[in-house]
Amino acid sequence: MREVCCPPPEAPARPACPSCGGLGINVDETTVRALLVPDALARLAHATFQFCAAPWCGVVYFSGTCPTFGITDLRVPVWQKSPPGARMVCYCFGENEA
């Protein structure tokens, strides 16, 4: 049996959504910046952002150092936050599931 001299590095803990406690998914700040309406963009600070995919949660993007951003802060609807039948399939042509 072979011994390991060093334990494998631990994966960094994924931050939890401050509203629902669900685990966040990493999102590039460029994506957040591109989707925010002007009022929300004014609150944006440089940060590492997470996406909350929980359909019942009003938070879409969050970080530990910046205010949270919800569905009303975005230019487009979010698939996971929209009710079935009304979810956007194609933003370019405004097509939804219906």
Side-chain angles (χ1 to χ4, degrees):
M1 181 163 66
R2 194 173 76 162
E3 285 189 41
V4 177
C5 68
C6 302
E10 291 185 25
R14 288 175 30 199
C17 173
S19 179
C20 73
L23 294 180
I25 301 166
N26 288 335
V27 176
D28 193 87
E29 182 182 329
T30 305
T31 301
V32 177
R33 184 177 302 279
L35 296 176
L36 294 178
V37 297
D39 289 343
L41 193 55
R43 299 191 324 261
L44 182 69
H46 179 68
T48 301
F49 285 94
Q50 304 291 315
F51 170 71
C52 177
W56 59 87
C57 183
V59 171
V60 179
Y61 297 115
F62 64 93
S63 77
T65 59
C66 194
T68 61
F69 298 104
I71 54 177
T72 60
D73 294 319
L74 302 180
R75 297 176 187 267
V76 296
V78 178
W79 175 276
Q80 291 87 340
K81 306 291 183 174
S82 299
R87 295 180 289 209
M88 191 63 64
V89 175
C90 178
Y91 295 113
C92 297
F93 297 107
E95 294 292 326
N96 63 22
E97 290 177 311

PDB file of all heavy atoms in Angstrom, residues 53-79:
ATOM      1  N   ALA A  53     -29.994  29.527  -7.573  1.00  0.00           N
ATOM      2  CA  ALA A  53     -30.914  28.902  -8.526  1.00  0.00           C
ATOM      3  C   ALA A  53     -32.245  28.483  -7.909  1.00  0.00           C
ATOM      4  O   ALA A  53     -33.105  27.970  -8.615  1.00  0.00           O
ATOM      5  CB  ALA A  53     -30.236  27.687  -9.162  1.00  0.00           C
ATOM      6  N   ALA A  54     -32.431  28.713  -6.628  1.00  0.00           N
ATOM      7  CA  ALA A  54     -33.680  28.309  -5.973  1.00  0.00           C
ATOM      8  C   ALA A  54     -34.856  29.093  -6.554  1.00  0.00           C
ATOM      9  O   ALA A  54     -34.867  30.321  -6.488  1.00  0.00           O
ATOM     10  CB  ALA A  54     -33.593  28.534  -4.472  1.00  0.00           C
ATOM     11  N   PRO A  55     -35.847  28.405  -7.130  1.00  0.00           N
ATOM     12  CA  PRO A  55     -36.968  29.092  -7.778  1.00  0.00           C
ATOM     13  C   PRO A  55     -37.793  29.968  -6.835  1.00  0.00           C
ATOM     14  O   PRO A  55     -38.363  30.962  -7.254  1.00  0.00           O
ATOM     15  CB  PRO A  55     -37.834  27.964  -8.333  1.00  0.00           C
ATOM     16  CG  PRO A  55     -37.094  26.712  -8.152  1.00  0.00           C
ATOM     17  CD  PRO A  55     -35.951  26.963  -7.214  1.00  0.00           C
ATOM     18  N   TRP A  56     -37.871  29.632  -5.574  1.00  0.00           N
ATOM     19  CA  TRP A  56     -38.692  30.349  -4.609  1.00  0.00           C
ATOM     20  C   TRP A  56     -37.960  31.537  -3.976  1.00  0.00           C
ATOM     21  O   TRP A  56     -38.560  32.333  -3.283  1.00  0.00           O
ATOM     22  CB  TRP A  56     -39.145  29.406  -3.497  1.00  0.00           C
ATOM     23  CG  TRP A  56     -37.982  28.808  -2.772  1.00  0.00           C
ATOM     24  CD1 TRP A  56     -37.306  29.337  -1.700  1.00  0.00           C
ATOM     25  CD2 TRP A  56     -37.318  27.594  -3.083  1.00  0.00           C
ATOM     26  NE1 TRP A  56     -36.266  28.523  -1.331  1.00  0.00           N
ATOM     27  CE2 TRP A  56     -36.256  27.428  -2.175  1.00  0.00           C
ATOM     28  CE3 TRP A  56     -37.515  26.608  -4.046  1.00  0.00           C
ATOM     29  CZ2 TRP A  56     -35.396  26.336  -2.201  1.00  0.00           C
ATOM     30  CZ3 TRP A  56     -36.651  25.520  -4.069  1.00  0.00           C
ATOM     31  CH2 TRP A  56     -35.622  25.393  -3.157  1.00  0.00           C
ATOM     32  N   CYS A  57     -36.672  31.681  -4.246  1.00  0.00           N
ATOM     33  CA  CYS A  57     -35.877  32.742  -3.631  1.00  0.00           C
ATOM     34  C   CYS A  57     -35.830  33.966  -4.548  1.00  0.00           C
ATOM     35  O   CYS A  57     -35.624  33.846  -5.753  1.00  0.00           O
ATOM     36  CB  CYS A  57     -34.465  32.226  -3.364  1.00  0.00           C
ATOM     37  SG  CYS A  57     -33.420  33.435  -2.518  1.00  0.00           S
ATOM     38  N   GLY A  58     -35.991  35.142  -3.983  1.00  0.00           N
ATOM     39  CA  GLY A  58     -35.963  36.377  -4.756  1.00  0.00           C
ATOM     40  C   GLY A  58     -34.567  36.859  -5.117  1.00  0.00           C
ATOM     41  O   GLY A  58     -34.406  37.748  -5.933  1.00  0.00           O
ATOM     42  N   VAL A  59     -33.539  36.277  -4.500  1.00  0.00           N
ATOM     43  CA  VAL A  59     -32.159  36.666  -4.790  1.00  0.00           C
ATOM     44  C   VAL A  59     -31.673  35.912  -6.020  1.00  0.00           C
ATOM     45  O   VAL A  59     -31.879  34.709  -6.140  1.00  0.00           O
ATOM     46  CB  VAL A  59     -31.232  36.376  -3.586  1.00  0.00           C
ATOM     47  CG1 VAL A  59     -29.781  36.575  -3.946  1.00  0.00           C
ATOM     48  CG2 VAL A  59     -31.617  37.252  -2.413  1.00  0.00           C
ATOM     49  N   VAL A  60     -31.016  36.633  -6.941  1.00  0.00           N
ATOM     50  CA  VAL A  60     -30.428  35.999  -8.114  1.00  0.00           C
ATOM     51  C   VAL A  60     -28.912  35.939  -7.966  1.00  0.00           C
ATOM     52  O   VAL A  60     -28.313  34.886  -8.105  1.00  0.00           O
ATOM     53  CB  VAL A  60     -30.817  36.745  -9.415  1.00  0.00           C
ATOM     54  CG1 VAL A  60     -30.178  36.089 -10.623  1.00  0.00           C
ATOM     55  CG2 VAL A  60     -32.329  36.787  -9.572  1.00  0.00           C
ATOM     56  N   TYR A  61     -28.281  37.078  -7.676  1.00  0.00           N
ATOM     57  CA  TYR A  61     -26.823  37.139  -7.514  1.00  0.00           C
ATOM     58  C   TYR A  61     -26.488  37.674  -6.128  1.00  0.00           C
ATOM     59  O   TYR A  61     -27.124  38.604  -5.639  1.00  0.00           O
ATOM     60  CB  TYR A  61     -26.192  38.050  -8.568  1.00  0.00           C
ATOM     61  CG  TYR A  61     -26.403  37.558  -9.974  1.00  0.00           C
ATOM     62  CD1 TYR A  61     -27.158  38.286 -10.879  1.00  0.00           C
ATOM     63  CD2 TYR A  61     -25.843  36.357 -10.406  1.00  0.00           C
ATOM     64  CE1 TYR A  61     -27.355  37.837 -12.171  1.00  0.00           C
ATOM     65  CE2 TYR A  61     -26.039  35.898 -11.698  1.00  0.00           C
ATOM     66  CZ  TYR A  61     -26.788  36.648 -12.570  1.00  0.00           C
ATOM     67  OH  TYR A  61     -26.989  36.203 -13.847  1.00  0.00           O
ATOM     68  N   PHE A  62     -25.444  37.115  -5.527  1.00  0.00           N
ATOM     69  CA  PHE A  62     -25.000  37.583  -4.217  1.00  0.00           C
ATOM     70  C   PHE A  62     -23.502  37.389  -4.078  1.00  0.00           C
ATOM     71  O   PHE A  62     -22.864  36.647  -4.838  1.00  0.00           O
ATOM     72  CB  PHE A  62     -25.742  36.849  -3.090  1.00  0.00           C
ATOM     73  CG  PHE A  62     -25.467  35.366  -3.028  1.00  0.00           C
ATOM     74  CD1 PHE A  62     -24.464  34.869  -2.216  1.00  0.00           C
ATOM     75  CD2 PHE A  62     -26.218  34.465  -3.773  1.00  0.00           C
ATOM     76  CE1 PHE A  62     -24.204  33.500  -2.151  1.00  0.00           C
ATOM     77  CE2 PHE A  62     -25.978  33.108  -3.709  1.00  0.00           C
ATOM     78  CZ  PHE A  62     -24.968  32.618  -2.894  1.00  0.00           C
ATOM     79  N   SER A  63     -22.916  38.105  -3.141  1.00  0.00           N
ATOM     80  CA  SER A  63     -21.514  37.955  -2.777  1.00  0.00           C
ATOM     81  C   SER A  63     -21.406  38.321  -1.312  1.00  0.00           C
ATOM     82  O   SER A  63     -22.371  38.807  -0.724  1.00  0.00           O
ATOM     83  CB  SER A  63     -20.622  38.861  -3.633  1.00  0.00           C
ATOM     84  OG  SER A  63     -20.699  40.187  -3.171  1.00  0.00           O
ATOM     85  N   GLY A  64     -20.258  38.120  -0.753  1.00  0.00           N
ATOM     86  CA  GLY A  64     -20.084  38.474   0.654  1.00  0.00           C
ATOM     87  C   GLY A  64     -19.779  39.944   0.863  1.00  0.00           C
ATOM     88  O   GLY A  64     -19.821  40.435   1.986  1.00  0.00           O
ATOM     89  N   THR A  65     -19.472  40.679  -0.211  1.00  0.00           N
ATOM     90  CA  THR A  65     -19.030  42.064  -0.067  1.00  0.00           C
ATOM     91  C   THR A  65     -19.897  43.081  -0.810  1.00  0.00           C
ATOM     92  O   THR A  65     -19.596  44.257  -0.791  1.00  0.00           O
ATOM     93  CB  THR A  65     -17.587  42.205  -0.588  1.00  0.00           C
ATOM     94  OG1 THR A  65     -17.560  41.809  -1.959  1.00  0.00           O
ATOM     95  CG2 THR A  65     -16.623  41.351   0.213  1.00  0.00           C
ATOM     96  N   CYS A  66     -20.943  42.640  -1.452  1.00  0.00           N
ATOM     97  CA  CYS A  66     -21.758  43.515  -2.292  1.00  0.00           C
ATOM     98  C   CYS A  66     -23.230  43.257  -1.965  1.00  0.00           C
ATOM     99  O   CYS A  66     -23.579  42.158  -1.526  1.00  0.00           O
ATOM    100  CB  CYS A  66     -21.472  43.178  -3.759  1.00  0.00           C
ATOM    101  SG  CYS A  66     -22.066  44.364  -4.942  1.00  0.00           S
ATOM    102  N   PRO A  67     -24.105  44.240  -2.173  1.00  0.00           N
ATOM    103  CA  PRO A  67     -25.530  43.971  -1.956  1.00  0.00           C
ATOM    104  C   PRO A  67     -26.019  42.833  -2.865  1.00  0.00           C
ATOM    105  O   PRO A  67     -25.424  42.571  -3.905  1.00  0.00           O
ATOM    106  CB  PRO A  67     -26.209  45.278  -2.353  1.00  0.00           C
ATOM    107  CG  PRO A  67     -25.146  46.306  -2.388  1.00  0.00           C
ATOM    108  CD  PRO A  67     -23.865  45.600  -2.651  1.00  0.00           C
ATOM    109  N   THR A  68     -27.108  42.201  -2.475  1.00  0.00           N
ATOM    110  CA  THR A  68     -27.689  41.152  -3.320  1.00  0.00           C
ATOM    111  C   THR A  68     -28.467  41.794  -4.462  1.00  0.00           C
ATOM    112  O   THR A  68     -28.884  42.948  -4.375  1.00  0.00           O
ATOM    113  CB  THR A  68     -28.641  40.240  -2.515  1.00  0.00           C
ATOM    114  OG1 THR A  68     -29.709  41.039  -2.010  1.00  0.00           O
ATOM    115  CG2 THR A  68     -27.919  39.529  -1.388  1.00  0.00           C
ATOM    116  N   PHE A  69     -28.640  41.030  -5.537  1.00  0.00           N
ATOM    117  CA  PHE A  69     -29.419  41.486  -6.680  1.00  0.00           C
ATOM    118  C   PHE A  69     -30.523  40.473  -6.932  1.00  0.00           C
ATOM    119  O   PHE A  69     -30.270  39.275  -6.998  1.00  0.00           O
ATOM    120  CB  PHE A  69     -28.531  41.645  -7.912  1.00  0.00           C
ATOM    121  CG  PHE A  69     -27.457  42.680  -7.726  1.00  0.00           C
ATOM    122  CD1 PHE A  69     -26.147  42.314  -7.502  1.00  0.00           C
ATOM    123  CD2 PHE A  69     -27.781  44.027  -7.748  1.00  0.00           C
ATOM    124  CE1 PHE A  69     -25.163  43.274  -7.312  1.00  0.00           C
ATOM    125  CE2 PHE A  69     -26.806  45.001  -7.562  1.00  0.00           C
ATOM    126  CZ  PHE A  69     -25.491  44.622  -7.346  1.00  0.00           C
ATOM    127  N   GLY A  70     -31.745  40.975  -7.060  1.00  0.00           N
ATOM    128  CA  GLY A  70     -32.908  40.115  -7.265  1.00  0.00           C
ATOM    129  C   GLY A  70     -33.451  40.211  -8.677  1.00  0.00           C
ATOM    130  O   GLY A  70     -32.885  40.896  -9.536  1.00  0.00           O
ATOM    131  N   ILE A  71     -34.582  39.570  -8.896  1.00  0.00           N
ATOM    132  CA  ILE A  71     -35.156  39.500 -10.239  1.00  0.00           C
ATOM    133  C   ILE A  71     -35.519  40.882 -10.782  1.00  0.00           C
ATOM    134  O   ILE A  71     -35.437  41.107 -11.978  1.00  0.00           O
ATOM    135  CB  ILE A  71     -36.374  38.545 -10.287  1.00  0.00           C
ATOM    136  CG1 ILE A  71     -37.406  38.922  -9.243  1.00  0.00           C
ATOM    137  CG2 ILE A  71     -35.935  37.115 -10.113  1.00  0.00           C
ATOM    138  CD1 ILE A  71     -38.661  38.083  -9.274  1.00  0.00           C
ATOM    139  N   THR A  72     -35.890  41.817  -9.946  1.00  0.00           N
ATOM    140  CA  THR A  72     -36.241  43.159 -10.425  1.00  0.00           C
ATOM    141  C   THR A  72     -35.005  43.990 -10.764  1.00  0.00           C
ATOM    142  O   THR A  72     -35.141  45.063 -11.356  1.00  0.00           O
ATOM    143  CB  THR A  72     -37.108  43.914  -9.399  1.00  0.00           C
ATOM    144  OG1 THR A  72     -36.381  44.035  -8.174  1.00  0.00           O
ATOM    145  CG2 THR A  72     -38.424  43.186  -9.165  1.00  0.00           C
ATOM    146  N   ASP A  73     -33.832  43.522 -10.397  1.00  0.00           N
ATOM    147  CA  ASP A  73     -32.589  44.229 -10.696  1.00  0.00           C
ATOM    148  C   ASP A  73     -32.005  43.839 -12.053  1.00  0.00           C
ATOM    149  O   ASP A  73     -30.981  44.383 -12.462  1.00  0.00           O
ATOM    150  CB  ASP A  73     -31.537  43.936  -9.620  1.00  0.00           C
ATOM    151  CG  ASP A  73     -31.917  44.505  -8.266  1.00  0.00           C
ATOM    152  OD1 ASP A  73     -32.437  45.639  -8.223  1.00  0.00           O
ATOM    153  OD2 ASP A  73     -31.713  43.811  -7.252  1.00  0.00           O
ATOM    154  N   LEU A  74     -32.636  42.884 -12.745  1.00  0.00           N
ATOM    155  CA  LEU A  74     -32.078  42.366 -13.992  1.00  0.00           C
ATOM    156  C   LEU A  74     -32.852  42.843 -15.207  1.00  0.00           C
ATOM    157  O   LEU A  74     -34.061  43.065 -15.148  1.00  0.00           O
ATOM    158  CB  LEU A  74     -32.065  40.837 -13.965  1.00  0.00           C
ATOM    159  CG  LEU A  74     -31.281  40.215 -12.815  1.00  0.00           C
ATOM    160  CD1 LEU A  74     -31.349  38.707 -12.894  1.00  0.00           C
ATOM    161  CD2 LEU A  74     -29.857  40.686 -12.801  1.00  0.00           C
ATOM    162  N   ARG A  75     -32.148  42.938 -16.327  1.00  0.00           N
ATOM    163  CA  ARG A  75     -32.746  43.359 -17.595  1.00  0.00           C
ATOM    164  C   ARG A  75     -33.615  42.271 -18.223  1.00  0.00           C
ATOM    165  O   ARG A  75     -34.501  42.564 -19.016  1.00  0.00           O
ATOM    166  CB  ARG A  75     -31.647  43.693 -18.604  1.00  0.00           C
ATOM    167  CG  ARG A  75     -30.775  44.839 -18.221  1.00  0.00           C
ATOM    168  CD  ARG A  75     -29.660  44.999 -19.258  1.00  0.00           C
ATOM    169  NE  ARG A  75     -28.712  45.989 -18.840  1.00  0.00           N
ATOM    170  CZ  ARG A  75     -28.769  47.271 -19.184  1.00  0.00           C
ATOM    171  NH1 ARG A  75     -29.743  47.708 -19.929  1.00  0.00           N
ATOM    172  NH2 ARG A  75     -27.866  48.109 -18.753  1.00  0.00           N
ATOM    173  N   VAL A  76     -33.319  41.025 -17.908  1.00  0.00           N
ATOM    174  CA  VAL A  76     -34.008  39.882 -18.524  1.00  0.00           C
ATOM    175  C   VAL A  76     -34.523  38.935 -17.442  1.00  0.00           C
ATOM    176  O   VAL A  76     -33.989  38.888 -16.346  1.00  0.00           O
ATOM    177  CB  VAL A  76     -33.068  39.108 -19.488  1.00  0.00           C
ATOM    178  CG1 VAL A  76     -32.659  39.967 -20.662  1.00  0.00           C
ATOM    179  CG2 VAL A  76     -31.843  38.589 -18.752  1.00  0.00           C
ATOM    180  N   PRO A  77     -35.561  38.162 -17.742  1.00  0.00           N
ATOM    181  CA  PRO A  77     -36.039  37.173 -16.774  1.00  0.00           C
ATOM    182  C   PRO A  77     -35.024  36.038 -16.609  1.00  0.00           C
ATOM    183  O   PRO A  77     -34.252  35.757 -17.517  1.00  0.00           O
ATOM    184  CB  PRO A  77     -37.338  36.648 -17.391  1.00  0.00           C
ATOM    185  CG  PRO A  77     -37.479  37.247 -18.724  1.00  0.00           C
ATOM    186  CD  PRO A  77     -36.375  38.219 -18.944  1.00  0.00           C
ATOM    187  N   VAL A  78     -35.060  35.408 -15.469  1.00  0.00           N
ATOM    188  CA  VAL A  78     -34.155  34.300 -15.163  1.00  0.00           C
ATOM    189  C   VAL A  78     -34.950  33.000 -15.214  1.00  0.00           C
ATOM    190  O   VAL A  78     -35.986  32.876 -14.560  1.00  0.00           O
ATOM    191  CB  VAL A  78     -33.525  34.477 -13.760  1.00  0.00           C
ATOM    192  CG1 VAL A  78     -32.619  33.322 -13.410  1.00  0.00           C
ATOM    193  CG2 VAL A  78     -32.772  35.799 -13.696  1.00  0.00           C
ATOM    194  N   TRP A  79     -34.482  32.036 -16.005  1.00  0.00           N
ATOM    195  CA  TRP A  79     -35.178  30.762 -16.210  1.00  0.00           C
ATOM    196  C   TRP A  79     -35.596  30.140 -14.887  1.00  0.00           C
ATOM    197  O   TRP A  79     -36.752  29.774 -14.684  1.00  0.00           O
ATOM    198  CB  TRP A  79     -34.275  29.811 -16.997  1.00  0.00           C
ATOM    199  CG  TRP A  79     -34.845  28.439 -17.165  1.00  0.00           C
ATOM    200  CD1 TRP A  79     -34.777  27.395 -16.284  1.00  0.00           C
ATOM    201  CD2 TRP A  79     -35.601  27.955 -18.280  1.00  0.00           C
ATOM    202  NE1 TRP A  79     -35.427  26.299 -16.778  1.00  0.00           N
ATOM    203  CE2 TRP A  79     -35.941  26.612 -18.010  1.00  0.00           C
ATOM    204  CE3 TRP A  79     -36.009  28.519 -19.472  1.00  0.00           C
ATOM    205  CZ2 TRP A  79     -36.668  25.839 -18.894  1.00  0.00           C
ATOM    206  CZ3 TRP A  79     -36.734  27.740 -20.351  1.00  0.00           C
ATOM    207  CH2 TRP A  79     -37.055  26.418 -20.064  1.00  0.00           C
TER     208      TRP A  79
END
